[in-house]
Amino acid sequence: MQISEIIQALGLKAFTESAGLSRNATGGYTCDLLSDVMGHSQSGQIWITLQTHKNVMAVASLRDLAGVILVNGLMPNADMLAQAIEEGIPVLGTDENAFDISGKLFILLGK
Amino acid sequence: MLFEYSIKGGDFSTAGQASSRFKKVLQQLNVPPQTIKRIVIALYEAEVNIVAHAFEGTINIEVQPGYVVMTLTDKGPGIPDIEKAMEVGYSTASPKVREMGFGAGMGLSNIKNNADILEIQSKINQGTTLKITVNLNQENVIKE
Protein backbone atom coordinates (compact mmCIF):
# COMPACT_ATOMS: atom_id res chain seq x y z
CA MET A 1 0.00 0.00 0.00
CA GLN A 2 1.24 3.47 -0.86
CA ILE A 3 2.46 5.74 1.94
CA SER A 4 -0.01 8.43 0.86
CA GLU A 5 -2.94 6.00 1.35
CA ILE A 6 -1.61 4.97 4.78
CA ILE A 7 -1.31 8.63 5.85
CA GLN A 8 -4.92 9.19 4.89
CA ALA A 9 -6.29 5.99 6.43
CA LEU A 10 -4.49 6.41 9.77
CA GLY A 11 -4.58 10.23 9.98
CA LEU A 12 -0.81 10.57 10.17
CA LYS A 13 1.26 13.75 10.00
CA ALA A 14 3.82 13.87 7.18
CA PHE A 15 6.89 15.69 8.57
CA THR A 16 8.67 15.18 5.26
CA GLU A 17 5.68 16.66 3.36
CA SER A 18 5.74 15.29 -0.20
CA ALA A 19 8.88 13.15 0.14
CA GLY A 20 8.41 9.47 -0.62
CA LEU A 21 4.60 9.50 -0.68
CA SER A 22 4.46 7.02 -3.54
CA ARG A 23 6.67 4.45 -1.80
CA ASN A 24 5.04 1.10 -1.21
CA ALA A 25 4.76 -0.42 2.27
CA THR A 26 4.44 -4.18 2.65
CA GLY A 27 4.35 -4.42 6.43
CA GLY A 28 5.62 -2.89 9.64
CA TYR A 29 8.34 -3.32 12.23
CA THR A 30 7.90 -1.87 15.72
CA CYS A 31 11.10 -1.43 17.74
CA ASP A 32 13.34 1.19 19.36
CA LEU A 33 16.59 -0.77 19.21
CA LEU A 34 18.47 0.11 16.06
CA SER A 35 20.45 -3.12 15.88
CA ASP A 36 17.27 -5.18 16.09
CA VAL A 37 15.73 -3.24 13.23
CA MET A 38 18.99 -3.57 11.31
CA GLY A 39 19.10 -7.31 11.85
CA HIS A 40 15.44 -8.29 11.60
CA SER A 41 13.38 -5.80 9.60
CA GLN A 42 12.52 -6.56 5.98
CA SER A 43 12.81 -4.14 3.09
CA GLY A 44 9.54 -2.38 2.37
CA GLN A 45 8.37 -2.31 5.98
CA ILE A 46 7.34 0.84 7.86
CA TRP A 47 9.36 1.32 11.02
CA ILE A 48 7.35 2.37 14.08
CA THR A 49 9.55 3.92 16.78
CA LEU A 50 10.07 6.65 19.36
CA GLN A 51 13.66 7.31 18.25
CA THR A 52 13.93 10.76 16.68
CA HIS A 53 17.61 11.10 15.76
CA LYS A 54 19.47 11.00 12.48
CA ASN A 55 20.73 7.43 12.86
CA VAL A 56 17.17 6.23 12.34
CA MET A 57 17.41 7.42 8.75
CA ALA A 58 20.75 5.65 8.24
CA VAL A 59 19.14 2.36 9.29
CA ALA A 60 15.95 3.03 7.29
CA SER A 61 17.97 3.79 4.18
CA LEU A 62 20.41 0.89 4.55
CA ARG A 63 17.54 -1.57 5.07
CA ASP A 64 15.35 -0.09 2.30
CA LEU A 65 12.45 0.56 4.66
CA ALA A 66 9.35 2.24 3.22
CA GLY A 67 9.14 4.93 5.89
CA VAL A 68 9.16 5.77 9.59
CA ILE A 69 6.25 6.49 11.94
CA LEU A 70 7.11 8.38 15.14
CA VAL A 71 4.73 7.63 18.00
CA ASN A 72 3.40 9.52 21.06
CA GLY A 73 3.39 12.89 19.28
CA LEU A 74 7.18 12.90 18.91
CA MET A 75 8.83 15.02 16.23
CA PRO A 76 12.02 14.25 14.28
CA ASN A 77 15.21 16.13 15.15
CA ALA A 78 16.19 18.69 12.51
CA ASP A 79 19.08 16.58 11.20
CA MET A 80 16.86 13.49 11.01
CA LEU A 81 14.29 15.43 9.01
CA ALA A 82 16.94 16.85 6.67
CA GLN A 83 18.35 13.40 5.93
CA ALA A 84 14.88 11.92 5.45
CA ILE A 85 14.07 14.53 2.80
CA GLU A 86 17.46 14.04 1.15
CA GLU A 87 16.92 10.27 0.98
CA GLY A 88 13.25 10.60 -0.02
CA ILE A 89 12.14 8.42 2.90
CA PRO A 90 8.91 9.65 4.50
CA VAL A 91 8.86 10.38 8.24
CA LEU A 92 5.32 10.36 9.61
CA GLY A 93 3.88 11.03 13.03
CA THR A 94 1.00 10.03 15.26
CA ASP A 95 -0.17 10.95 18.77
CA GLU A 96 -0.96 7.29 19.39
CA ASN A 97 1.41 4.88 21.12
CA ALA A 98 3.37 2.14 19.36
CA PHE A 99 0.88 -0.62 20.24
CA ASP A 100 -2.18 1.18 18.94
CA ILE A 101 -0.68 2.44 15.69
CA SER A 102 0.96 -0.93 15.01
CA GLY A 103 -2.41 -2.63 15.46
CA LYS A 104 -4.11 -0.23 13.09
CA LEU A 105 -1.38 -0.61 10.48
CA PHE A 106 -1.54 -4.40 10.84
CA ILE A 107 -5.27 -4.37 10.09
CA LEU A 108 -4.92 -1.80 7.31
CA LEU A 109 -2.28 -3.87 5.51
CA GLY A 110 -4.43 -6.99 5.90
CA LYS A 111 -1.82 -8.87 7.89
CA MET B 1 38.78 -3.22 -6.16
CA LEU B 2 39.80 -1.50 -2.95
CA PHE B 3 37.85 1.02 -0.90
CA GLU B 4 38.87 2.95 2.21
CA TYR B 5 36.76 4.95 4.64
CA SER B 6 37.75 6.82 7.81
CA ILE B 7 35.57 6.72 10.91
CA LYS B 8 35.59 9.22 13.77
CA GLY B 9 34.87 7.83 17.21
CA GLY B 10 31.98 9.40 19.09
CA ASP B 11 30.51 11.16 16.06
CA PHE B 12 27.03 9.66 15.70
CA SER B 13 25.99 12.31 13.19
CA THR B 14 28.11 10.57 10.55
CA ALA B 15 27.57 6.97 11.71
CA GLY B 16 26.50 4.82 8.79
CA GLN B 17 27.90 7.06 6.07
CA ALA B 18 30.62 4.62 5.06
CA SER B 19 28.08 1.77 4.95
CA SER B 20 25.77 3.90 2.87
CA ARG B 21 28.51 4.79 0.39
CA PHE B 22 29.61 1.18 0.05
CA LYS B 23 26.01 0.03 -0.40
CA LYS B 24 25.82 2.27 -3.49
CA VAL B 25 28.99 0.63 -4.82
CA LEU B 26 27.46 -2.83 -4.35
CA GLN B 27 24.31 -1.73 -6.18
CA GLN B 28 26.41 -0.43 -9.07
CA LEU B 29 28.20 -3.78 -9.18
CA ASN B 30 24.80 -5.52 -9.45
CA VAL B 31 25.34 -7.60 -6.33
CA PRO B 32 22.05 -9.43 -5.49
CA PRO B 33 19.86 -7.58 -2.94
CA GLN B 34 19.99 -10.43 -0.39
CA THR B 35 23.80 -10.35 -0.45
CA ILE B 36 23.86 -6.54 -0.22
CA LYS B 37 21.61 -6.88 2.83
CA ARG B 38 24.08 -9.21 4.58
CA ILE B 39 27.11 -7.08 3.75
CA VAL B 40 25.42 -3.85 4.79
CA ILE B 41 24.11 -5.20 8.12
CA ALA B 42 27.57 -6.50 9.05
CA LEU B 43 29.36 -3.34 7.89
CA TYR B 44 26.93 -0.93 9.58
CA GLU B 45 27.15 -2.72 12.92
CA ALA B 46 30.94 -2.74 12.76
CA GLU B 47 30.99 0.93 11.77
CA VAL B 48 28.70 1.85 14.68
CA ASN B 49 30.90 -0.15 17.07
CA ILE B 50 33.84 2.08 16.13
CA VAL B 51 31.75 5.24 16.60
CA ALA B 52 30.38 3.98 19.94
CA HIS B 53 33.57 2.58 21.46
CA ALA B 54 36.75 3.74 19.72
CA PHE B 55 38.62 7.03 19.13
CA GLU B 56 39.00 6.53 15.41
CA GLY B 57 39.05 3.80 12.85
CA THR B 58 39.59 2.82 9.24
CA ILE B 59 37.54 0.57 7.01
CA ASN B 60 39.36 -1.19 4.18
CA ILE B 61 37.24 -3.17 1.77
CA GLU B 62 38.47 -5.53 -0.89
CA VAL B 63 35.97 -6.60 -3.54
CA GLN B 64 36.93 -9.79 -5.37
CA PRO B 65 34.89 -11.69 -7.98
CA GLY B 66 33.56 -14.20 -5.44
CA TYR B 67 33.70 -12.39 -2.11
CA VAL B 68 34.06 -9.15 -0.17
CA VAL B 69 36.54 -8.72 2.70
CA MET B 70 35.89 -5.81 5.04
CA THR B 71 38.66 -5.02 7.53
CA LEU B 72 37.79 -2.53 10.25
CA THR B 73 40.70 -1.38 12.39
CA ASP B 74 40.24 0.97 15.31
CA LYS B 75 42.29 2.73 17.94
CA GLY B 76 40.35 2.27 21.13
CA PRO B 77 39.89 0.42 24.39
CA GLY B 78 39.96 -3.07 22.87
CA ILE B 79 37.69 -5.95 23.89
CA PRO B 80 38.79 -7.67 27.14
CA ASP B 81 36.70 -10.81 26.60
CA ILE B 82 35.75 -11.45 22.97
CA GLU B 83 33.70 -14.56 23.81
CA LYS B 84 31.60 -12.54 26.26
CA ALA B 85 31.25 -9.67 23.78
CA MET B 86 29.81 -12.09 21.23
CA GLU B 87 26.94 -13.02 23.58
CA VAL B 88 23.60 -11.48 22.60
CA GLY B 89 22.62 -8.84 25.14
CA TYR B 90 26.11 -8.24 26.54
CA SER B 91 27.17 -4.64 26.08
CA THR B 92 29.64 -2.13 27.51
CA ALA B 93 28.01 0.85 25.77
CA SER B 94 27.50 4.11 27.67
CA PRO B 95 24.03 5.20 28.86
CA LYS B 96 24.04 7.95 26.20
CA VAL B 97 24.65 5.41 23.44
CA ARG B 98 21.93 3.14 24.84
CA GLU B 99 19.39 5.97 24.92
CA MET B 100 19.82 6.29 21.17
CA GLY B 101 18.78 2.67 20.73
CA PHE B 102 22.30 1.34 20.26
CA GLY B 103 24.30 -0.75 22.71
CA ALA B 104 21.74 -3.51 23.14
CA GLY B 105 24.42 -6.17 22.77
CA MET B 106 23.26 -7.25 19.33
CA GLY B 107 25.93 -5.75 17.10
CA LEU B 108 28.57 -8.46 17.05
CA SER B 109 25.98 -11.25 16.75
CA ASN B 110 24.36 -9.38 13.84
CA ILE B 111 27.80 -9.27 12.22
CA LYS B 112 28.42 -12.96 12.87
CA ASN B 113 25.00 -13.97 11.51
CA ASN B 114 25.60 -12.13 8.26
CA ALA B 115 29.27 -12.94 7.70
CA ASP B 116 30.65 -16.10 6.15
CA ILE B 117 33.90 -15.62 8.06
CA LEU B 118 34.41 -13.31 11.05
CA GLU B 119 37.83 -12.84 12.63
CA ILE B 120 38.34 -10.58 15.65
CA GLN B 121 41.67 -9.48 17.06
CA SER B 122 41.88 -7.10 19.97
CA LYS B 123 44.51 -5.60 22.28
CA ILE B 124 43.49 -3.84 25.47
CA ASN B 125 44.05 -0.06 25.34
CA GLN B 126 45.23 -0.31 21.74
CA GLY B 127 42.35 -1.33 19.55
CA THR B 128 40.36 -3.92 17.69
CA THR B 129 40.43 -5.33 14.18
CA LEU B 130 37.45 -7.08 12.62
CA LYS B 131 37.85 -8.98 9.40
CA ILE B 132 34.48 -9.77 7.87
CA THR B 133 34.21 -11.92 4.76
CA VAL B 134 30.96 -12.28 2.85
CA ASN B 135 30.69 -14.54 -0.19
CA LEU B 136 29.02 -12.94 -3.18
CA ASN B 137 27.59 -16.17 -4.57
CA GLN B 138 25.29 -17.09 -1.70
CA GLU B 139 23.73 -20.09 -3.45
CA ASN B 140 27.11 -21.83 -3.20
CA VAL B 141 27.33 -21.31 0.53
CA ILE B 142 25.99 -23.81 3.00
CA LYS B 143 24.91 -21.96 6.12
CA GLU B 144 23.68 -23.49 9.37
Side-chain angles (χ1 to χ4, degrees):
Chain A
M1 183 178 282
Q2 275 200 352
I3 292 290
S4 55
E5 296 172 77
I6 294 170
I7 289 172
Q8 202 156 30
L10 301 181
L12 304 174
K13 283 188 283 279
F15 296 113
T16 39
E17 297 181 2
S18 62
L21 291 182
S22 60
R23 286 167 82 95
N24 194 46
T26 54
Y29 199 85
T30 306
C31 189
D32 302 317
L33 294 176
L34 275 66
S35 286
D36 184 61
V37 178
M38 200 67 207
H40 296 115
S41 66
Q42 302 293 326
S43 64
Q45 289 178 332
I46 297 187
W47 179 7
I48 295 162
T49 183
L50 52 68
Q51 297 288 355
T52 57
H53 54 84
K54 192 182 169 187
N55 296 273
V56 169
M57 298 323 299
V59 172
S61 166
L62 287 167
R63 294 297 299 105
D64 299 317
L65 301 180
V68 177
I69 299 177
L70 301 180
V71 299
N72 294 348
L74 290 164
M75 288 166 64
N77 294 354
D79 57 357
M80 174 179 173
L81 188 60
Q83 201 184 338
I85 291 168
E86 190 186 321
E87 306 247 9
I89 302 173
V91 175
L92 315 172
T94 177
D95 289 334
E96 297 189 73
N97 67 34
F99 179 83
D100 289 344
I101 199 68
S102 299
K104 287 178 184 174
L105 184 65
F106 185 90
I107 292 166
L108 182 65
L109 294 177
K111 291 285 176 183
Chain B
M1 274 181 288
L2 298 173
F3 300 88
E4 186 175 319
Y5 307 97
S6 296
I7 309 297
K8 251 165 62 182
D11 184 4
F12 275 95
S13 71
T14 57
Q17 272 185 7
S19 303
S20 177
R21 278 156 65 190
F22 188 61
K23 183 188 176 191
K24 292 191 178 87
V25 170
L26 294 168
Q27 285 168 333
Q28 279 162 8
L29 294 172
N30 287 319
V31 173
Q34 275 306 105
T35 308
I36 292 181
K37 175 186 162 184
R38 299 183 68 220
I39 294 170
V40 163
I41 291 173
L43 182 59
Y44 176 76
E45 294 289 0
E47 184 182 350
V48 166
N49 276 348
I50 294 178
V51 175
H53 296 284
F55 308 120
E56 59 179 10
T58 309
I59 304 177
N60 286 287
I61 304 177
E62 185 187 342
V63 181
Q64 292 290 346
Y67 60 91
V68 169
V69 184
M70 303 178 279
T71 307
L72 297 95
T73 308
D74 72 49
K75 288 179 188 162
I79 305 172
D81 186 341
I82 291 174
E83 211 174 305
K84 189 94 185 152
M86 294 299 298
E87 287 177 14
V88 177
Y90 180 80
S91 175
T92 58
S94 68
K96 181 192 156 234
V97 169
R98 288 171 199 252
E99 269 175 30
M100 294 176 81
F102 293 114
M106 303 175 74
L108 280 172
S109 63
N110 267 354
I111 296 171
K112 192 170 175 238
N113 290 339
N114 288 285
D116 289 295
I117 306 168
L118 170 61
E119 294 162 72
I120 306 177
Q121 289 180 322
S122 193
K123 276 194 182 144
I124 300 300
N125 294 326
Q126 289 188 33
T128 301
T129 297
L130 257 69
K131 195 173 164 192
I132 304 164
T133 305
V134 179
N135 292 322
L136 293 176
N137 303 311
Q138 289 300 327
E139 64 270 24
N140 299 332
V141 179
I142 299 159
K143 293 273 293 178
E144 281 178 34

